[in-house]
Amino acid sequence: MPELVFFSGTMDCGKSTLALQIEHNRSARGLEGMIFTRNDRAGEGVLSSRLGLETKAVEVADDFDFYGFLVAHLSGGARADYVIVDEAQFFTPVQIDQLARIVDDLRLDVFAFGITTDFRTRLFPGSRRLVEMADRIEVLQVEALCWCGARATHNARTVGGKMVVEGEQVVVGDVNRTDAEIGYEVLCRRHHIRRMTAAAARAATISPDVLPVD
């Protein structure tokens, strides 16, 4: 049975790499897929991995109609055996409903990849709708690590190496940006709450942790 599957995780946990692996495995068996993305770190119309792998993709905007696009694609005599969507957190709830309709009406598997929460620990609208609508949710098993070595569970936005908790929900960046740029860092919950990035930890005086006192 076709499924809408949501692969979720923090930044830097291999979501795009897995998307590219699924594309490789299926295309190697003679299947043809449609690939979509939005705001990829490598630029427009590209699905890329931090390992250096990439492939062409259809760039998605807010007014893009997934279902209409696939119907027109298939009606024109082209082929599509499955759909891969990366950076799914940036899609609108309406677009997520269109992906579900592709599964139900066109009988195609849809594999969606995205982070669940933003730098403020708030659900992205697209991710929230995927949680509500997906047939299956898979949390990626490749664990990203906080600078302390614990499992990273939260995405932090940094400016000049310092964590910020205000601003627009969507600002394109990467975990590999220099300290002077807007970037992102994955942290464990403990250090996200304390706003303790790797740069802040290096600058802090080494001392044993104490219980916080308000």
Side-chain angles (χ1 to χ4, degrees), residues 23 37 44 48 51 93 101 121 128 150 160 164 166 190 196 201:
E23 161 63 14
T37 191
E44 186 172 324
S48 69
L51 297 182
R101 189 180 179 191
T121 71
R128 179 188 296 114
V164 296
E166 295 182 355
R190 176 167 170 262
M196 182 68 75

Side-chain angles (χ1 to χ4, degrees), residues 12-127:
D12 209 23
C13 73
K15 295 181 300 301
S16 297
T17 301
L18 179 57
L20 289 163
Q21 184 67 55
I22 288 176
E23 161 63 14
H24 170 75
N25 289 351
R26 292 187 168 235
S27 62
R29 298 297 180 266
L31 301 176
E32 294 185 16
M34 294 295 302
I35 303 174
F36 302 90
T37 191
R38 181 171 184 177
N39 296 335
D40 189 276
R41 69 186 71 82
E44 186 172 324
V46 178
L47 191 165
S48 69
S49 163
R50 292 187 181 88
L51 297 182
L53 305 173
E54 63 179 44
T55 190
K56 292 181 180 179
V58 176
E59 187 73 16
V60 174
D62 282 342
D63 60 351
F64 186 85
D65 184 342
F66 283 104
Y67 185 79
F69 185 93
L70 262 295
V71 168
H73 179 79
L74 295 170
S75 298
R79 181 179 170 187
D81 299 306
Y82 58 94
V83 173
I84 291 174
V85 292
D86 197 25
E87 307 294 355
Q89 70 274 7
F90 297 139
F91 301 154
T92 68
V94 170
Q95 289 171 326
I96 301 304
D97 289 345
Q98 293 165 1
L99 294 176
R101 189 180 179 191
I102 288 170
V103 175
D104 295 339
D105 293 358
L106 304 183
R107 313 302 292 167
L108 300 178
D109 282 316
V110 175
F111 305 103
F113 298 81
I115 60 178
T116 308
T117 58
D118 64 16
F119 69 105
R120 301 165 300 184
T121 71
R122 302 291 188 267
L123 285 167
F124 282 98
S127 299

